[in-house]
C-alpha cells in the first residue's frame, strides 16, 4: 500500500483541532495579519457569545471597549506581538450582548518557516470572578484601613513576631506622641516603664498572647515626652492559614481620666463610710455617756450623804478616794460627749492666735524638756466661733499626742492661717465651700501607718501602752471640731512625723488682727533663745519656767545637776543655763557651771542662791557667768539676762 501523501500531517492537525475544540475555559482562535477572525472555538463562543458563523471574517477589535478602541489598543496589541513575539495583558472586553468581562489576553504571532507573518494566535480567559474577588478584597482592605486610620481614641498597630512596630495609626500617635516615621521598626517595649521592663513584662505579654490567644492588662505606659498615662492594653496573636505566628495586633486606650474618676469615687465612698461609721459610734458613745452620767449622779450624791455622817478618819479617806474616782469618771463622760457632739458648747467669736498665745505657757509645759515648741501664727488670721475652753483642751490634746510620738525628743510647730475650700476640697472634707481658718499641729515624731490614721478618732482606740492613755484625746478633738462646724485632717508618714489640721469656719464679721495687706507669719516665739532651768523645788521650778516663758524663752528643765548635764549633751540649742546653787545628789550649781562651760564654752550661765554672793565660790567660772539672789523678781531676772547677753 502506498502511503497517502500528507496523511500524517492531516492526522496531527485533526487531533490539534479536536484539542482546541474541546477547550471551553479558554477562547482560542486565529487572526489573519490584519486582525480578522479566521477560526473560532467553543470556549470563544461561550465567553463572547458569538457563534462561529457570526464572527468569522469580523475584526477582533469588536471585542474591545469603546475606550480601548479610541486609544487604538487592538492595533497596538498586534504590533507589539509582531515586534516582541508576544502581547499579554488584562482588561475589560465586550460580549455580544454588550456586557463586559475581565479578560486575560495572550497574542502570539504565527510565521512561516521563512519568517513571513501568517497571522496571530489569540487566547483569552475570563477572569471576571477573580477580578471581582480581588476588587472586593481591595475594597475591604481599604475600608479597614480607613477604619483604623479614622480611630483616634485607640492606639491600633501591628507588631512583628519579635515585637517590633510594623504599622501605626493616628490614635497611636495622639496617645503616645510618636509620628509613624519615628516608631516603625522600634520595639514596643519602649512604651513600658523602667519597672515593667525590669520584670520583662513586654516579653511575658507576647508569650501570654501567643500561648493563650490573648493578653489583656492595665498599667502605666510612657509617652514620647516621658509622661505616664494609665492604659488598657489588649494584644492578640495573628496567624496565617497554616497556623504560623506572623505577628500581633495591639490595641491601647488611655484611661487615665477614668482611673482618676474611679479613685475619686472610691475616696468619696470611703469618706462617706468613715463619716457614717463615726456618726454611728458617736451615737453609741453619746448614749453610753448619758447613762454613765446618770449612774455617776447617784454615786456622787450618795458619797456626799456618806460624807456628812462619816466620823471615822478611815471612812472619810475612803469616801474622798471614791469621790476623786467619780470626778475622773465625769471627765471621761465629758470627753465621750465631746466626741458624740452632745456636749453643751458656749461658742463666742475669738481670734485663734489670741487663744493660742494666752495658752502658750501651758502648751510649753505640756511639751516637756526634750520637745521644742514653735509658733508660726499668720498675722491676718480671721476669727472663729468656738468655745474657748474646749478649743484649748483640743489643742492641748494634740500637743500631748505629738509629744508622746517623740520619745527621743523633737519639735512641734503650731501654724495658723486662712484658707479657702473649693468645691472639690470641700466635698472631700464634708464641708460647704467657703472661708476657713486652719490650725495645724505638726511634729517630727514616729508617724502613723494609714490603717492607724483611719482609726485614731475612734473612742478608746490608742497605740499607747496600757495605762498611758484613755484613747479619748483625739476623740474629744474630733467632737469639738465637728460640733463647731469644721473638719479635721491628718497627714502622717511612718518615720516622718504627723500633721493634724483643724479647719474651722471663718467668721464674716470677725476683725483681723492686722491692717497690713500681706499675710506674713509671725516668727516662732523662740527668738530670745532656749534656757535650761535646774531646780529641785517643784514650786520654784514652775515659777521660774513661767518667768522665762513670759520673756520669750523656750524652756527645758532638770531637777539636778546630773540630769542637766545629760540635757546639755543632747540639746545643742540651749544657750542659757539658769541653776540653783544648792542642789541634791552631790554636785552643786557652781560645779555644774564649771562642767557646763567645759562642754559649752559660749554658754551663758546665771546662778541663783539665797546665800550672799560673796560666800559663793566662783573661781574658774570666767566671763559669761552671773549671780542673782533669792527671792528674785522677773524684772531683776530680765535685767541679769540682758546684761549676760550684751556682756555688760
Amino acid at each position: 500500500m502506498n502511503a497517502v501523501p500528507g496523511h500524517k500531517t492531516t492526522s496531527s492537525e485533526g487531533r490539534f483541532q479536536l484539542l482546541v475544540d474541546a477547550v471551553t475555559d479558554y477562547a482560542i482562535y486565529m487572526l489573519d495579519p490584519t486582525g480578522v477572525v479566521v477560526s473560532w472555538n467553543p470556549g470563544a463562543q461561550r465567553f463572547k457569545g458569538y457563534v462561529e458563523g457570526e464572527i468569522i471574517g469580523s475584526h477582533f477589535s469588536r471585542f474591545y471597549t469603546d475606550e480601548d478602541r479610541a486609544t487604538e489598543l487592538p492595533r497596538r496589541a498586534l504590533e507589539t506581538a509582531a515586534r516582541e513575539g508576544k502581547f499579554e495583558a488584562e482588561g475589560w472586553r465586550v460580549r455580544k450582548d454588550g456586557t463586559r468581562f475581565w479578560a486575560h489576553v495572550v497574542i502570539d504571532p504565527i510565521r512561516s518557516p521563512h519568517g513571513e507573518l501568517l497571522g496571530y494566535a489569540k487566547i483569552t480567559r475570563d477572569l471576571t470572578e477573580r477580578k471581582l474577588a480581588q476588587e472586593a478584597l481591595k475594597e475591604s482592605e481599604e475600608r479597614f484601613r480607613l477604619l483604623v486610620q479614622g480611630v483616634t481614641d485607640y492606639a491600633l498597630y501591628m507588631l512583628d513576631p519579635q515585637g517590633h512596630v510594623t504599622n501605626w495609626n493616628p490614635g497611636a500617635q495622639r496617645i503616645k506622641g510618636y509620628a509613624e516615621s519615628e516608631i516603625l521598626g522600634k520595639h514596643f517595649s519602649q512604651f513600658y516603664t523602667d519597672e515593667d521592663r525590669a520584670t520583662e513584662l513586654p516579653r511575658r505579654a507576647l508569650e501570654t498572647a501567643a500561648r493563650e490567644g490573648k493578653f489583656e492588662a492595665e498599667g502605666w505606659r510612657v509617652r514620647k515626652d516621658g509622661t505616664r498615662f494609665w492604659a488598657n492594653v489588649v494584644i492578640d496573636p495573628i496567624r496565617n492559614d497554616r497556623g504560623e505566628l506572623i505577628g500581633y495586633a495591639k490595641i491601647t486606650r488611655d484611661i487615665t481620666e477614668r482611673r482618676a474618676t474611679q479613685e475619686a469615687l472610691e475616696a468619696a465612698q470611703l469618706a462617706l463610710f468613715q463619716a457614717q461609721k463615726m456618726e454611728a459610734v458617736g451615737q453609741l458613745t453619746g448614749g453610753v455617756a448619758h447613762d454613765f452620767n446618770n449612774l455617776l449622779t447617784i454615786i456622787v450624791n450618795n458619797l456626799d450623804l456618806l460624807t456628812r455622817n462619816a466620823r471615822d478618819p478611815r471612812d472619810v479617806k475612803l469616801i474622798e478616794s471614791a469621790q476623786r474616782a467619780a470626778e475622773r469618771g465625769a471627765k471621761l463622760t465629758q470627753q465621750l460627749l465631746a466626741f458624740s457632739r452632745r456636749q453643751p458648747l458656749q461658742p463666742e467669736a475669738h481670734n485663734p492666735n489670741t487663744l493660742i498665745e494666752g495658752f502658750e505657757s501651758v502648751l510649753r509645759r505640756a511639751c516637756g524638756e526634750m520637745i521644742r515648741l514653735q509658733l508660726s501664727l499668720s498675722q491676718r488670721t480671721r476669727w472663729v466661733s468656738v468655745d474657748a475652753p474646749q478649743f484649748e483642751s483640743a489643742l492641748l490634746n494634740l500637743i500631748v499626742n505629738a509629744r508622746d510620738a517623740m520619745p527621743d525628743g523633737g519639735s512641734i510647730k503650731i501654724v495658723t492661717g486662712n484658707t479657702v475650700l473649693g468645691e472639690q476640697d470641700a466635698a472631700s472634707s464634708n464641708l460647704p465651700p467657703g472661708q476657713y481658718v486652719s490650725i495645724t499641729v505638726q511634729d517630727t515624731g514616729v508617724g502613723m501607718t494609714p490603717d492607724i490614721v483611719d482609726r485614731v478618732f475612734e473612742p478608746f482606740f490608742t497605740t499607747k501602752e496600757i495605762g498611758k492613755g484613755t484613747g479619748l484625746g483625739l476623740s474629744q478633738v474630733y467632737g469639738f471640731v465637728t460640733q463647731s462646724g469644721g473638719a479635721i485632717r491628718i497627714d502622717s508618714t511612718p518615720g516622718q512625723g504627723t500633721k493634724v489640721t483643724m479647719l474651722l469656719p471663718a467668721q464674716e464679721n470677725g476683725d483681723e488682727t492686722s491692717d497690713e495687706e500681706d499675710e506674713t507669719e509671725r516668727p516662732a516665739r523662740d527668738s530670745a533663745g532656749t534656757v535650761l532651768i535646774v531646780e529641785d523645788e517643784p514650786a520654784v521650778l514652775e515659777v521660774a519656767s513661767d518667768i522665762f516663758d513670759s520673756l520669750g524663752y523656750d524652756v527645758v528643765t532638770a531637777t539636778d545637776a546630773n540630769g542637766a548635764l545629760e540635757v546639755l549633751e543632747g540639746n545643742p540649742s540651749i544657750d542659757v543655763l539658769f541653776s540653783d546653787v544648792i542642789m541634791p545628789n552631790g554636785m552643786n550649781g557652781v560645779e555644774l557651771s564649771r562642767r557646763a562651760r567645759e562642754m559649752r564654752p559660749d554658754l551663758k550661765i546665771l546662778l541663783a542662791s539665797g546665800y550672799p554672793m560673796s560666800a559663793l565660790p566662783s573661781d574658774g567660772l570666767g566671763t559669761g557667768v552671773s549671780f542673782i539672789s533669792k527671792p528674785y523678781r522677773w524684772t531683776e531676772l530680765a535685767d541679769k539676762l540682758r546684761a549676760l547677753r550684751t556682756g555688760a
Side-chain angles (χ1 to χ4, degrees):
M1 178 181 289
N2 294 327
V4 178
H7 175 76
K8 181 177 181 181
T9 302
T10 302
S11 176
S12 174
E13 289 176 351
R15 286 196 299 271
F16 179 76
Q17 186 62 46
L18 290 174
L19 172 64
V20 171
D21 290 343
V23 174
T24 59
D25 288 338
Y26 289 83
I28 303 174
Y29 54 97
M30 299 282 292
L31 305 176
D32 69 11
T34 63
V36 173
V37 178
V38 296
S39 71
W40 197 246
N41 82 323
Q45 180 176 332
R46 187 174 71 85
F47 285 177
K48 304 190 186 240
Y50 297 96
V51 297
E52 185 176 20
E54 295 175 305
I55 201 64
I56 297 294
S58 299
H59 198 273
F60 85 110
S61 61
R62 67 162 38 180
F63 308 138
Y64 283 72
T65 64
D66 292 339
E67 307 90 86
D68 287 344
R69 286 202 300 269
T71 62
E72 296 187 339
L73 178 59
R75 178 185 60 78
R76 292 186 287 109
L78 296 183
E79 290 176 353
T80 300
R83 183 178 62 253
E84 300 181 6
K86 182 180 182 181
F87 172 83
E88 185 173 4
E90 289 187 6
W92 290 110
R93 297 295 183 267
V94 183
R95 296 186 177 95
K96 176 183 177 181
D97 61 7
T99 59
R100 296 188 177 192
F101 67 99
W102 188 260
H104 175 266
V105 176
V106 176
I107 303 176
D108 291 298
I110 301 173
R111 297 182 183 277
S112 69
H114 305 292
E116 179 184 359
L117 181 66
L118 301 177
Y120 300 91
K122 193 168 185 296
I123 302 175
T124 303
R125 187 179 184 188
D126 184 354
L127 299 180
T128 307
E129 291 184 3
R130 191 185 75 177
K131 173 67 173 177
L132 293 176
Q134 288 176 340
E135 289 186 345
L137 177 61
K138 182 179 179 181
E139 184 179 354
S140 175
E141 291 175 346
E142 180 64 14
R143 285 198 302 267
F144 182 75
R145 186 189 68 81
L146 292 175
L147 171 65
V148 171
Q149 294 300 314
V151 172
T152 58
D153 287 339
Y154 290 80
L156 306 176
Y157 54 99
M158 302 280 290
L159 306 175
D160 68 14
Q162 290 73 43
H164 299 97
V165 179
T166 58
N167 61 27
W168 197 246
N169 83 319
Q173 179 171 341
R174 186 185 70 82
I175 293 173
K176 299 179 185 275
Y178 295 93
E180 186 176 24
S181 59
E182 296 176 301
I183 202 63
L184 291 185
K186 301 293 180 62
H187 198 272
F188 85 111
S189 60
Q190 73 181 66
F191 308 137
Y192 285 69
T193 64
D194 292 338
E195 307 91 89
D196 286 344
R197 286 201 298 268
T199 62
E200 296 189 338
L201 178 58
R203 176 187 60 78
R204 292 186 287 109
L206 295 185
E207 290 177 352
T208 300
R211 181 179 63 253
E212 300 180 7
K214 182 181 181 181
F215 172 83
E216 184 171 5
E218 291 186 3
W220 290 111
R221 295 297 183 267
V222 183
R223 296 186 177 93
K224 178 184 176 182
D225 61 7
T227 59
R228 295 189 176 192
F229 67 98
W230 189 260
N232 174 266
V233 177
V234 177
I235 302 176
D236 290 298
I238 301 174
R239 301 182 183 276
N240 61 19
D241 295 338
R242 296 185 297 276
E244 298 169 340
L245 181 69
I246 59 174
Y248 300 90
K250 192 167 186 297
I251 303 175
T252 302
R253 188 178 187 190
D254 182 355
I255 58 172
T256 308
E257 185 175 344
R258 188 185 77 182
R259 182 172 186 262
T261 302
Q262 183 178 351
E263 288 179 343
L265 177 61
E266 291 174 353
Q269 291 173 337
L270 181 62
L272 177 61
F273 169 75
Q274 186 71 8
Q276 291 172 337
K277 182 182 73 171
M278 297 299 282
E279 182 66 26
V281 174
Q283 292 175 357
L284 175 63
T285 54
V288 171
H290 179 268
D291 293 341
F292 194 30
N293 265 338
N294 289 338
L295 296 175
L296 286 174
T297 300
I298 298 171
I299 294 171
V300 169
N301 281 283
N302 285 336
L303 289 173
D304 287 342
L305 291 174
L306 288 173
T307 302
R308 295 178 184 178
N309 300 321
R311 297 290 182 269
D312 189 300
R314 182 175 178 275
D315 292 341
V316 173
K317 184 177 180 181
L318 292 173
I319 292 171
E320 289 176 347
S321 176
Q323 286 176 324
R324 288 193 296 272
E327 290 173 0
R328 185 179 179 190
K331 290 181 180 179
L332 289 176
T333 60
Q334 288 302 312
Q335 289 178 307
L336 286 171
L337 287 171
F339 170 76
S340 63
R341 291 172 282 172
R342 297 182 183 179
Q343 62 177 342
L345 294 182
Q346 296 179 345
E348 294 180 353
H350 293 279
N351 186 291
N353 291 352
T354 304
L355 293 177
I356 294 170
E357 289 172 334
F359 202 50
E360 183 178 351
S361 59
V362 176
L363 298 177
R364 290 189 181 277
R365 282 196 292 273
C367 287
E369 300 175 357
M370 303 298 291
I371 307 298
R372 182 178 184 178
L373 177 65
Q374 295 176 285
L375 305 184
S376 185
L377 311 180
S378 175
Q379 293 184 9
R380 289 176 58 85
T381 302
R382 300 174 68 92
W383 287 40
V384 293
S385 179
V386 293
D387 184 312
Q390 290 295 332
F391 176 86
E392 293 172 347
S393 177
L395 193 60
L396 181 60
N397 274 321
L398 294 179
I399 292 294
V400 170
N401 273 278
R403 177 202 67 193
D404 293 344
M406 297 181 288
D408 299 323
S411 64
I412 300 174
K413 190 174 184 179
I414 301 176
V415 183
T416 63
N418 300 320
T419 186
V420 178
L421 292 186
E423 294 287 346
Q424 186 172 355
D425 291 335
S428 64
S429 302
N430 292 319
L431 293 174
Q435 299 279 347
Y436 289 84
V437 174
S438 63
I439 301 97
T440 299
V441 176
Q442 186 170 1
D443 65 58
T444 58
V446 297
M448 295 180 287
T449 56
D451 59 316
I452 293 178
V453 171
D454 290 340
R455 299 191 60 194
V456 291
F457 295 127
E458 296 178 9
F460 306 112
F461 176 79
T462 180
T463 58
K464 300 175 184 178
E465 299 176 5
I466 296 177
K468 293 293 182 68
T470 63
L472 290 173
L474 288 178
S475 300
Q476 182 270 333
V477 178
Y478 174 85
F480 160 73
V481 173
T482 52
Q483 195 170 355
S484 300
I488 188 166
R489 298 174 176 173
I490 293 185
D491 296 306
S492 187
T493 303
Q496 299 182 23
T498 299
K499 181 169 71 174
V500 182
T501 300
M502 296 185 290
L503 289 174
L504 298 172
Q507 298 301 296
E508 294 296 334
N509 58 348
D511 294 331
E512 296 175 349
T513 60
S514 173
D515 292 330
E516 297 180 10
E517 294 184 359
D518 61 329
E519 293 196 7
T520 56
E521 290 187 343
R522 180 174 70 82
R525 280 197 56 198
D526 59 345
S527 57
T530 303
V531 61
L532 170 58
I533 302 175
V534 188
E535 174 62 62
D536 63 300
E537 177 58 41
V540 178
L541 179 62
E542 183 175 359
V543 170
S545 297
D546 287 341
I547 293 174
F548 275 90
D549 185 76
S550 67
L551 294 174
Y553 283 83
D554 286 340
V555 177
V556 182
T557 62
T559 57
D560 57 37
N562 290 326
L565 291 175
E566 292 178 3
V567 174
L568 279 172
E569 187 175 8
N571 193 336
S573 65
I574 295 171
D575 47 15
V576 176
L577 171 65
F578 179 65
S579 175
D580 190 13
V581 172
I582 305 302
M583 288 186 298
N585 301 329
M587 188 184 304
N588 60 37
V590 175
E591 294 170 337
L592 169 63
S593 299
R594 292 194 180 98
R595 294 280 299 277
R597 291 303 291 274
E598 292 173 2
M599 296 170 60
R600 307 272 293 280
D602 296 329
L603 187 68
K604 305 298 182 182
I605 299 174
L606 181 59
L607 298 176
S609 176
Y611 292 97
M613 287 184 288
S614 59
L616 299 175
S618 58
D619 296 339
L621 293 179
T623 59
V625 179
S626 185
F627 291 88
I628 189 171
S629 297
K630 291 182 176 181
Y632 48 80
R633 298 191 176 187
W634 75 270
T635 53
E636 297 174 67
L637 195 57
D639 291 339
K640 287 287 186 180
L641 290 169
R642 190 179 303 109
L644 269 175
R645 296 179 73 89
T646 60

